[in-house]
PDB file of all heavy atoms in Angstrom:
ATOM      1  N   ASP A  18      35.399 -15.998  -1.080  1.00  0.00           N
ATOM      2  CA  ASP A  18      34.454 -17.076  -1.383  1.00  0.00           C
ATOM      3  C   ASP A  18      33.345 -17.106  -0.328  1.00  0.00           C
ATOM      4  O   ASP A  18      32.183 -17.446  -0.665  1.00  0.00           O
ATOM      5  CB  ASP A  18      35.270 -18.529  -1.265  1.00  0.00           C
ATOM      6  CG  ASP A  18      36.218 -18.774  -2.310  1.00  0.00           C
ATOM      7  OD1 ASP A  18      36.066 -18.057  -3.412  1.00  0.00           O
ATOM      8  OD2 ASP A  18      37.051 -19.612  -2.323  1.00  0.00           O
ATOM      9  N   ILE A  19      33.627 -16.766   0.907  1.00  0.00           N
ATOM     10  CA  ILE A  19      32.558 -16.543   1.892  1.00  0.00           C
ATOM     11  C   ILE A  19      31.562 -15.599   1.499  1.00  0.00           C
ATOM     12  O   ILE A  19      30.388 -15.654   1.544  1.00  0.00           O
ATOM     13  CB  ILE A  19      33.206 -16.304   3.338  1.00  0.00           C
ATOM     14  CG1 ILE A  19      33.912 -17.576   3.776  1.00  0.00           C
ATOM     15  CG2 ILE A  19      31.978 -15.993   4.274  1.00  0.00           C
ATOM     16  CD1 ILE A  19      33.128 -18.782   4.035  1.00  0.00           C
ATOM     17  N   ASP A  20      32.086 -14.399   1.031  1.00  0.00           N
ATOM     18  CA  ASP A  20      31.230 -13.318   0.645  1.00  0.00           C
ATOM     19  C   ASP A  20      30.397 -13.670  -0.577  1.00  0.00           C
ATOM     20  O   ASP A  20      29.170 -13.372  -0.591  1.00  0.00           O
ATOM     21  CB  ASP A  20      32.092 -12.087   0.243  1.00  0.00           C
ATOM     22  CG  ASP A  20      32.703 -11.432   1.476  1.00  0.00           C
ATOM     23  OD1 ASP A  20      32.196 -11.546   2.508  1.00  0.00           O
ATOM     24  OD2 ASP A  20      33.719 -10.701   1.285  1.00  0.00           O
ATOM     25  N   THR A  21      30.990 -14.502  -1.500  1.00  0.00           N
ATOM     26  CA  THR A  21      30.184 -15.004  -2.568  1.00  0.00           C
ATOM     27  C   THR A  21      29.081 -15.967  -2.209  1.00  0.00           C
ATOM     28  O   THR A  21      27.926 -15.816  -2.683  1.00  0.00           O
ATOM     29  CB  THR A  21      31.026 -15.638  -3.635  1.00  0.00           C
ATOM     30  OG1 THR A  21      32.106 -14.728  -4.023  1.00  0.00           O
ATOM     31  CG2 THR A  21      30.306 -16.212  -4.856  1.00  0.00           C
ATOM     32  N   ALA A  22      29.381 -16.815  -1.272  1.00  0.00           N
ATOM     33  CA  ALA A  22      28.449 -17.698  -0.752  1.00  0.00           C
ATOM     34  C   ALA A  22      27.258 -17.048   0.054  1.00  0.00           C
ATOM     35  O   ALA A  22      26.131 -17.384  -0.165  1.00  0.00           O
ATOM     36  CB  ALA A  22      29.232 -18.645   0.257  1.00  0.00           C
ATOM     37  N   LEU A  23      27.649 -16.024   0.702  1.00  0.00           N
ATOM     38  CA  LEU A  23      26.615 -15.106   1.381  1.00  0.00           C
ATOM     39  C   LEU A  23      25.651 -14.590   0.410  1.00  0.00           C
ATOM     40  O   LEU A  23      24.469 -14.526   0.521  1.00  0.00           O
ATOM     41  CB  LEU A  23      27.126 -14.161   2.379  1.00  0.00           C
ATOM     42  CG  LEU A  23      27.731 -14.601   3.630  1.00  0.00           C
ATOM     43  CD1 LEU A  23      28.635 -13.608   4.333  1.00  0.00           C
ATOM     44  CD2 LEU A  23      26.625 -15.028   4.548  1.00  0.00           C
ATOM     45  N   SER A  24      26.246 -14.020  -0.696  1.00  0.00           N
ATOM     46  CA  SER A  24      25.407 -13.325  -1.746  1.00  0.00           C
ATOM     47  C   SER A  24      24.549 -14.347  -2.401  1.00  0.00           C
ATOM     48  O   SER A  24      23.289 -14.125  -2.581  1.00  0.00           O
ATOM     49  CB  SER A  24      26.318 -12.688  -2.798  1.00  0.00           C
ATOM     50  OG  SER A  24      27.050 -11.663  -2.174  1.00  0.00           O
ATOM     51  N   THR A  25      25.037 -15.592  -2.632  1.00  0.00           N
ATOM     52  CA  THR A  25      24.258 -16.609  -3.290  1.00  0.00           C
ATOM     53  C   THR A  25      23.183 -17.034  -2.349  1.00  0.00           C
ATOM     54  O   THR A  25      21.979 -17.232  -2.846  1.00  0.00           O
ATOM     55  CB  THR A  25      25.124 -17.881  -3.572  1.00  0.00           C
ATOM     56  OG1 THR A  25      26.172 -17.464  -4.526  1.00  0.00           O
ATOM     57  CG2 THR A  25      24.288 -18.961  -4.240  1.00  0.00           C
ATOM     58  N   LEU A  26      23.468 -17.272  -1.137  1.00  0.00           N
ATOM     59  CA  LEU A  26      22.424 -17.677  -0.112  1.00  0.00           C
ATOM     60  C   LEU A  26      21.303 -16.576   0.053  1.00  0.00           C
ATOM     61  O   LEU A  26      20.184 -16.885   0.077  1.00  0.00           O
ATOM     62  CB  LEU A  26      23.079 -17.944   1.202  1.00  0.00           C
ATOM     63  CG  LEU A  26      22.311 -18.728   2.246  1.00  0.00           C
ATOM     64  CD1 LEU A  26      21.915 -20.048   1.734  1.00  0.00           C
ATOM     65  CD2 LEU A  26      23.128 -18.805   3.573  1.00  0.00           C
ATOM     66  N   ASN A  27      21.734 -15.365   0.072  1.00  0.00           N
ATOM     67  CA  ASN A  27      20.827 -14.259   0.220  1.00  0.00           C
ATOM     68  C   ASN A  27      19.931 -14.192  -1.009  1.00  0.00           C
ATOM     69  O   ASN A  27      18.684 -13.770  -0.859  1.00  0.00           O
ATOM     70  CB  ASN A  27      21.514 -12.917   0.416  1.00  0.00           C
ATOM     71  CG  ASN A  27      22.102 -12.768   1.890  1.00  0.00           C
ATOM     72  OD1 ASN A  27      21.618 -13.460   2.805  1.00  0.00           O
ATOM     73  ND2 ASN A  27      23.092 -12.102   1.941  1.00  0.00           N
ATOM     74  N   GLY A  28      20.432 -14.512  -2.087  1.00  0.00           N
ATOM     75  CA  GLY A  28      19.586 -14.506  -3.413  1.00  0.00           C
ATOM     76  C   GLY A  28      18.471 -15.551  -3.205  1.00  0.00           C
ATOM     77  O   GLY A  28      17.314 -15.275  -3.662  1.00  0.00           O
ATOM     78  N   TRP A  29      18.840 -16.790  -2.772  1.00  0.00           N
ATOM     79  CA  TRP A  29      17.797 -17.818  -2.694  1.00  0.00           C
ATOM     80  C   TRP A  29      16.834 -17.422  -1.530  1.00  0.00           C
ATOM     81  O   TRP A  29      15.560 -17.648  -1.649  1.00  0.00           O
ATOM     82  CB  TRP A  29      18.451 -19.113  -2.198  1.00  0.00           C
ATOM     83  CG  TRP A  29      19.332 -19.786  -3.343  1.00  0.00           C
ATOM     84  CD1 TRP A  29      19.088 -19.618  -4.712  1.00  0.00           C
ATOM     85  CD2 TRP A  29      20.490 -20.519  -3.160  1.00  0.00           C
ATOM     86  NE1 TRP A  29      20.061 -20.383  -5.414  1.00  0.00           N
ATOM     87  CE2 TRP A  29      20.917 -20.884  -4.469  1.00  0.00           C
ATOM     88  CE3 TRP A  29      21.231 -20.950  -2.083  1.00  0.00           C
ATOM     89  CZ2 TRP A  29      22.062 -21.657  -4.702  1.00  0.00           C
ATOM     90  CZ3 TRP A  29      22.305 -21.781  -2.243  1.00  0.00           C
ATOM     91  CH2 TRP A  29      22.726 -22.099  -3.615  1.00  0.00           C
ATOM     92  N   ARG A  30      17.280 -16.817  -0.477  1.00  0.00           N
ATOM     93  CA  ARG A  30      16.399 -16.380   0.575  1.00  0.00           C
ATOM     94  C   ARG A  30      15.451 -15.343   0.087  1.00  0.00           C
ATOM     95  O   ARG A  30      14.234 -15.293   0.374  1.00  0.00           O
ATOM     96  CB  ARG A  30      17.156 -15.883   1.834  1.00  0.00           C
ATOM     97  CG  ARG A  30      17.898 -16.835   2.610  1.00  0.00           C
ATOM     98  CD  ARG A  30      18.491 -16.257   3.920  1.00  0.00           C
ATOM     99  NE  ARG A  30      17.387 -15.951   4.782  1.00  0.00           N
ATOM    100  CZ  ARG A  30      17.662 -15.309   5.982  1.00  0.00           C
ATOM    101  NH1 ARG A  30      18.852 -14.875   6.210  1.00  0.00           N
ATOM    102  NH2 ARG A  30      16.614 -15.071   6.664  1.00  0.00           N
ATOM    103  N   ALA A  31      15.930 -14.439  -0.740  1.00  0.00           N
ATOM    104  CA  ALA A  31      15.119 -13.296  -1.272  1.00  0.00           C
ATOM    105  C   ALA A  31      14.009 -13.860  -2.162  1.00  0.00           C
ATOM    106  O   ALA A  31      12.883 -13.448  -2.163  1.00  0.00           O
ATOM    107  CB  ALA A  31      15.977 -12.390  -2.120  1.00  0.00           C
ATOM    108  N   ASP A  32      14.369 -14.950  -2.865  1.00  0.00           N
ATOM    109  CA  ASP A  32      13.290 -15.576  -3.747  1.00  0.00           C
ATOM    110  C   ASP A  32      12.248 -16.283  -2.949  1.00  0.00           C
ATOM    111  O   ASP A  32      11.047 -16.100  -3.173  1.00  0.00           O
ATOM    112  CB  ASP A  32      13.916 -16.606  -4.672  1.00  0.00           C
ATOM    113  CG  ASP A  32      12.977 -17.403  -5.517  1.00  0.00           C
ATOM    114  OD1 ASP A  32      12.337 -16.778  -6.358  1.00  0.00           O
ATOM    115  OD2 ASP A  32      12.679 -18.640  -5.220  1.00  0.00           O
ATOM    116  N   PHE A  33      12.524 -17.031  -1.856  1.00  0.00           N
ATOM    117  CA  PHE A  33      11.606 -17.493  -1.012  1.00  0.00           C
ATOM    118  C   PHE A  33      10.816 -16.476  -0.277  1.00  0.00           C
ATOM    119  O   PHE A  33       9.589 -16.609  -0.093  1.00  0.00           O
ATOM    120  CB  PHE A  33      12.233 -18.455   0.045  1.00  0.00           C
ATOM    121  CG  PHE A  33      12.484 -19.953  -0.451  1.00  0.00           C
ATOM    122  CD1 PHE A  33      13.736 -20.231  -0.972  1.00  0.00           C
ATOM    123  CD2 PHE A  33      11.417 -20.741  -0.529  1.00  0.00           C
ATOM    124  CE1 PHE A  33      13.913 -21.595  -1.471  1.00  0.00           C
ATOM    125  CE2 PHE A  33      11.682 -22.136  -0.904  1.00  0.00           C
ATOM    126  CZ  PHE A  33      12.885 -22.538  -1.432  1.00  0.00           C
ATOM    127  N   GLY A  34      11.474 -15.366   0.126  1.00  0.00           N
ATOM    128  CA  GLY A  34      10.723 -14.263   0.769  1.00  0.00           C
ATOM    129  C   GLY A  34       9.723 -13.609  -0.160  1.00  0.00           C
ATOM    130  O   GLY A  34       8.521 -13.261   0.297  1.00  0.00           O
ATOM    131  N   SER A  35      10.135 -13.341  -1.407  1.00  0.00           N
ATOM    132  CA  SER A  35       9.195 -12.736  -2.382  1.00  0.00           C
ATOM    133  C   SER A  35       8.080 -13.714  -2.608  1.00  0.00           C
ATOM    134  O   SER A  35       6.903 -13.228  -2.841  1.00  0.00           O
ATOM    135  CB  SER A  35       9.861 -12.343  -3.669  1.00  0.00           C
ATOM    136  OG  SER A  35      10.489 -13.485  -4.276  1.00  0.00           O
ATOM    137  N   THR A  36       8.329 -14.963  -2.705  1.00  0.00           N
ATOM    138  CA  THR A  36       7.234 -15.956  -2.960  1.00  0.00           C
ATOM    139  C   THR A  36       6.292 -16.031  -1.775  1.00  0.00           C
ATOM    140  O   THR A  36       5.070 -16.114  -2.039  1.00  0.00           O
ATOM    141  CB  THR A  36       7.859 -17.394  -3.153  1.00  0.00           C
ATOM    142  OG1 THR A  36       8.818 -17.327  -4.183  1.00  0.00           O
ATOM    143  CG2 THR A  36       6.794 -18.439  -3.359  1.00  0.00           C
ATOM    144  N   GLN A  37       6.878 -15.872  -0.615  1.00  0.00           N
ATOM    145  CA  GLN A  37       5.994 -15.848   0.612  1.00  0.00           C
ATOM    146  C   GLN A  37       5.128 -14.623   0.611  1.00  0.00           C
ATOM    147  O   GLN A  37       3.867 -14.715   0.919  1.00  0.00           O
ATOM    148  CB  GLN A  37       6.845 -15.902   1.791  1.00  0.00           C
ATOM    149  CG  GLN A  37       6.019 -15.869   3.081  1.00  0.00           C
ATOM    150  CD  GLN A  37       6.819 -15.879   4.368  1.00  0.00           C
ATOM    151  OE1 GLN A  37       7.992 -16.448   4.419  1.00  0.00           O
ATOM    152  NE2 GLN A  37       6.325 -15.379   5.503  1.00  0.00           N
ATOM    153  N   ASN A  38       5.601 -13.457   0.277  1.00  0.00           N
ATOM    154  CA  ASN A  38       4.747 -12.306   0.132  1.00  0.00           C
ATOM    155  C   ASN A  38       3.663 -12.431  -0.891  1.00  0.00           C
ATOM    156  O   ASN A  38       2.498 -12.029  -0.701  1.00  0.00           O
ATOM    157  CB  ASN A  38       5.752 -11.061  -0.247  1.00  0.00           C
ATOM    158  CG  ASN A  38       6.540 -10.617   0.900  1.00  0.00           C
ATOM    159  OD1 ASN A  38       6.246 -10.880   2.076  1.00  0.00           O
ATOM    160  ND2 ASN A  38       7.681  -9.977   0.549  1.00  0.00           N
ATOM    161  N   GLN A  39       4.048 -13.022  -2.051  1.00  0.00           N
ATOM    162  CA  GLN A  39       3.050 -13.324  -3.083  1.00  0.00           C
ATOM    163  C   GLN A  39       1.959 -14.302  -2.652  1.00  0.00           C
ATOM    164  O   GLN A  39       0.777 -14.065  -2.893  1.00  0.00           O
ATOM    165  CB  GLN A  39       3.688 -13.849  -4.377  1.00  0.00           C
ATOM    166  CG  GLN A  39       2.852 -14.008  -5.525  1.00  0.00           C
ATOM    167  CD  GLN A  39       3.564 -14.473  -6.738  1.00  0.00           C
ATOM    168  OE1 GLN A  39       4.746 -14.835  -6.677  1.00  0.00           O
ATOM    169  NE2 GLN A  39       2.912 -14.565  -7.948  1.00  0.00           N
ATOM    170  N   LEU A  40       2.363 -15.266  -1.888  1.00  0.00           N
ATOM    171  CA  LEU A  40       1.318 -16.207  -1.308  1.00  0.00           C
ATOM    172  C   LEU A  40       0.474 -15.563  -0.345  1.00  0.00           C
ATOM    173  O   LEU A  40      -0.723 -15.881  -0.293  1.00  0.00           O
ATOM    174  CB  LEU A  40       2.155 -17.446  -0.668  1.00  0.00           C
ATOM    175  CG  LEU A  40       2.834 -18.321  -1.636  1.00  0.00           C
ATOM    176  CD1 LEU A  40       3.800 -19.272  -0.757  1.00  0.00           C
ATOM    177  CD2 LEU A  40       1.823 -19.215  -2.354  1.00  0.00           C
ATOM    178  N   GLU A  41       1.026 -14.685   0.540  1.00  0.00           N
ATOM    179  CA  GLU A  41       0.209 -14.081   1.519  1.00  0.00           C
ATOM    180  C   GLU A  41      -0.784 -13.072   0.939  1.00  0.00           C
ATOM    181  O   GLU A  41      -1.976 -12.934   1.317  1.00  0.00           O
ATOM    182  CB  GLU A  41       1.127 -13.275   2.589  1.00  0.00           C
ATOM    183  CG  GLU A  41       1.855 -14.363   3.399  1.00  0.00           C
ATOM    184  CD  GLU A  41       2.884 -13.630   4.372  1.00  0.00           C
ATOM    185  OE1 GLU A  41       3.165 -12.451   4.078  1.00  0.00           O
ATOM    186  OE2 GLU A  41       3.423 -14.202   5.312  1.00  0.00           O
ATOM    187  N   SER A  42      -0.368 -12.371  -0.208  1.00  0.00           N
ATOM    188  CA  SER A  42      -1.209 -11.529  -0.800  1.00  0.00           C
ATOM    189  C   SER A  42      -2.374 -12.266  -1.536  1.00  0.00           C
ATOM    190  O   SER A  42      -3.502 -11.864  -1.516  1.00  0.00           O
ATOM    191  CB  SER A  42      -0.387 -10.740  -1.932  1.00  0.00           C
ATOM    192  OG  SER A  42      -1.319  -9.910  -2.748  1.00  0.00           O
TER     193      SER A  42
END
């Protein structure tokens, strides 16, 4: 369950990270 939670959290972080890259571009 912890591994699944980490994967879920990393997915959300990745979305915010890609959005930030798009905004900076």
Side-chain angles (χ1 to χ4, degrees):
D18 289 344
I19 293 295
D20 289 336
T21 300
L23 283 167
S24 296
T25 301
L26 194 61
N27 288 335
W29 291 330
R30 290 189 70 188
D32 175 67
F33 274 98
S35 61
T36 301
Q37 180 178 334
N38 289 334
Q39 189 178 4
L40 288 165
E41 290 173 347
S42 176

